[in-house]
């Protein structure tokens, strides 16, 4: 898999923004990606040193719209911890 196929998008929530202070970044990743693929992709795309990768599989939830039933899609989240000597990831393009 290509690095851009593994990392789909960053997840921006209040909890993930507070975790960025500890150099922990949350991404939505491909459901078939393994921890080694995620680590190599983040290091390649953002030019940083990854220390640890935690993965969370989210099961699809049942949803209804009137009498029609369906479910949300299956997702996989990765919480990537950077090493202490690594640069920060600039998600919003801010200049320092």
């Amino acid at each position: 898999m290509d690095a851009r196929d593994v990392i789909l998008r960053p997840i921006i929530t209040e909890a993930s923004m507070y975790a960025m202070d500890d150099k922990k970044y949350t991404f939505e990743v491909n459901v078939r990606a393994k921890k080694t693929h995620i680590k190599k992709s983040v290091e390649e795309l953002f030019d940083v040193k990854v220390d640890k990768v935690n993965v969370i599989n989210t099961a699809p939830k049942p949803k209804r719209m009137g009498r029609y039933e369906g479910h949300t899609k299956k997702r996989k989240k990765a919480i990537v911890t950077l090493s202490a000597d690594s640069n920060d990831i600039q998600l919003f393009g801010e200049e320092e």
Side-chain angles (χ1 to χ4, degrees):
M1 275 192 270
D2 186 38
R4 299 209 181 264
D5 294 333
V6 174
I7 306 294
L8 300 179
R9 65 183 182 94
I11 296 177
I12 307 298
T13 61
E14 189 173 352
S16 69
M17 294 301 284
Y18 285 126
M20 285 183 193
D21 296 336
D22 299 329
K23 291 196 172 194
K24 293 183 179 182
Y25 295 88
T26 307
F27 297 98
E28 184 174 341
V29 296
N30 193 322
V31 293
R32 294 173 298 176
K34 307 291 185 218
K35 285 186 178 186
T36 54
H37 295 135
I38 296 167
K39 180 177 179 177
K40 289 177 186 176
S41 298
V42 170
E43 287 177 347
E44 179 183 330
L45 290 175
F46 299 108
D47 194 33
V48 293
K49 178 76 173 109
V50 174
D51 191 28
K52 185 168 65 169
V53 176
N54 294 345
V55 175
I56 303 158
N57 286 307
T58 306
K61 294 185 198 174
K63 295 289 182 179
R64 286 185 44 164
M65 180 65 94
R67 65 180 188 172
Y68 302 105
E69 293 185 5
H71 55 83
T72 60
K73 69 176 187 168
K74 182 168 66 169
R75 299 186 321 146
K76 186 181 247 190
K77 291 194 308 186
I79 300 173
V80 178
T81 305
L82 303 182
S83 64
D85 58 340
S86 177
N87 296 329
D88 290 338
I89 296 175
Q90 302 296 327
L91 293 178
F92 302 112
E94 63 257 1
E95 296 291 326
E96 290 186 17

